[in-house]
């Protein structure tokens, strides 16, 4: 509004003009809220934390059982992949990728797929 007025545009009814701009801004904010709500509605249901559900022991047992059920090479990969922290983690992953003869991105994808399988396994085990 200020730019148009500064450019010299003549506005016959200033009150109506301001009202119109305010109405359009309000409509934009409603659309933004609808987009945010739609994104929130698409999120998966959160998994209860072990402390909240009171079954931390069974969750840990399920995790250990699921890790043991992995093929040996996947088990070793996932343990090594999440072994270090910060800069050491980055360096460890580079070494691991070289050791397996694969690019770092391929290692990330492989570790992600294994982690998803572990999460699904633990989730199913805890349900039982």
């Amino acid at each position: 509004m200020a730019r148009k007025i500064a450019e010299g545009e003549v506005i016959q009814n200033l009150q109506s003009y301001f009202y119109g701009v305010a109405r359009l801004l309000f409509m934009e904010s409603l659309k933004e809220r609808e987009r945010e709500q739609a994104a929130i509605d698409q999120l998966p249901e959160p998994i209860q934390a072990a402390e909240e559900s009171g079954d931390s022991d069974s969750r840990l047992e399920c995790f250990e059982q699921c890790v043991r059920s992995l093929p040996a090479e996947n088990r070793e990969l996932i343990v090594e992949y999440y072994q270090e922290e910060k800069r050491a983690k980055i360096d460890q992953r580079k070494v691991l990728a070289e050791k397996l003869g694969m690019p770092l991105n391929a290692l990330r994808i492989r570790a992600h797929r294994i982690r998803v399988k572990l999460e699904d396994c633990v989730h199913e085990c805890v349900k039982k």
Side-chain angles (χ1 to χ4, degrees):
M1 292 184 312
R3 181 177 48 84
K4 287 195 175 203
I5 293 171
E7 289 175 352
E9 187 172 320
V10 178
I11 299 171
Q12 303 261 335
N13 187 343
L14 201 56
Q15 186 176 6
S16 293
Y17 181 75
F18 288 152
Y19 173 76
V21 171
R23 183 177 58 80
L24 291 174
L25 287 172
F26 176 69
M27 298 299 283
E28 283 181 30
S29 72
L30 288 179
K31 285 181 184 178
E32 180 63 27
R33 285 184 189 167
E34 288 175 10
R35 283 191 293 268
E36 289 173 356
Q37 188 60 46
I40 289 171
D41 291 342
Q42 291 178 355
L43 291 173
E45 289 293 320
I47 298 174
Q48 282 187 328
E51 295 79 30
E52 293 175 3
S53 62
D55 62 348
S56 60
D57 289 338
S58 65
R59 189 166 178 82
L60 181 59
E61 288 173 18
C62 285
F63 174 75
E64 290 172 353
Q65 176 186 345
C66 290
V67 169
R68 283 192 304 268
S69 71
L70 288 173
E73 72 177 42
N74 286 352
R75 185 173 47 247
E76 290 172 18
L77 183 143
I78 204 74
V79 168
E80 287 184 44
Y81 189 82
Y82 288 105
Q83 196 167 24
E84 301 290 338
E85 292 184 22
K86 299 186 180 181
R87 183 66 194 178
K89 175 173 64 175
I90 295 169
D91 295 336
Q92 170 65 21
R93 290 178 180 177
K94 286 179 183 176
V95 169
L96 182 58
E98 288 176 16
K99 181 176 120 179
L100 295 172
M102 63 174 59
L104 192 55
N105 280 339
L107 175 66
R108 286 187 184 115
I109 292 167
R110 192 166 169 194
H112 174 73
R113 288 179 180 155
I114 295 168
R115 193 180 100 209
V116 168
K117 286 179 185 176
L118 273 174
E119 288 173 351
D120 291 344
C121 178
V122 170
H123 187 68
E124 289 300 315
C125 178
V126 169
K127 277 184 181 179
K128 295 177 185 178

